[in-house]
Structure formats: C-alpha cells, structure tokens
Amino acid sequence: MSKKYDNDFKQMIIALAQSDHHTLASISQDYGVSTATISNWLAADKTDTIQNLSPKDILALQHDMAELRADNDILKKALTILSKRK
C-alpha cells in the first residue's frame, strides 16, 4: 500500500535533501519516507526544472558555462606560473 504525500510535504523533503545538513537516511528516519521515495522525488524535481527551461535560458547557461571554463583555464595557467616562481 503506497502513501500519498501532498506537494508541500514533498517540496519540504526535497529542500532538506538538497541541503548539505541532512542525509537521505536521516530524512527517511525523521519523516518516515523511504530513501527510494526521496530519491524518486529528487529525480522528478530535477527533470521538472530542466524541462521548464526555455531555449533562450539554455543558451544563456551554455554561454555562462563557456565563460567559466575560460576563467578556470586562465586561473590554472596563472597558478602554474606563480607556483614556478617559488
């Protein structure tokens, strides 16, 4: 027999699971929801978030990611140069 949980409860559990302060096991024990159920809710939440992005949002995220990769490359090169100076 499966239990029905309301959306507010699910969102609260998802928020707890996404925080760095709680493990799935501790949430499961504290709230009486199986870790498998919590994992399913997390996967569904991630899918919903990705599916709700517009093509414009996706392009903006890709642009941002390219800029961050370029920044990381510059920082790695700077670290290499600075570490050789010691």
Side-chain angles (χ1 to χ4, degrees):
M1 183 173 147
S2 66
K3 294 182 181 179
K4 295 286 183 180
Y5 299 98
D6 67 26
N7 285 333
D8 291 336
F9 181 77
K10 287 180 185 180
Q11 290 305 314
M12 180 193 68
I13 297 296
I14 289 169
L16 288 172
Q18 290 173 337
S19 75
D20 292 334
H21 306 292
H22 302 281
T23 63
L24 292 186
S26 69
I27 296 168
S28 174
Q29 186 176 24
D30 292 345
Y31 293 95
V33 179
S34 74
T35 55
T37 298
I38 297 169
S39 295
N40 289 341
W41 292 348
L42 287 167
D45 184 62
K46 186 180 287 186
T47 302
D48 290 345
T49 302
I50 292 170
Q51 290 177 350
N52 288 334
L53 292 175
S54 70
K56 185 178 179 180
D57 292 336
I58 293 171
L59 286 174
L61 288 170
Q62 289 173 335
H63 181 263
D64 291 347
M65 188 168 52
E67 283 184 352
L68 290 171
R69 285 184 176 153
D71 291 346
N72 282 340
D73 289 340
I74 291 168
L75 291 171
K76 286 177 186 177
K77 290 175 186 175
L79 180 61
T80 303
I81 292 168
L82 293 174
S83 65
K84 289 181 181 178
R85 288 187 177 181
K86 289 184 178 182

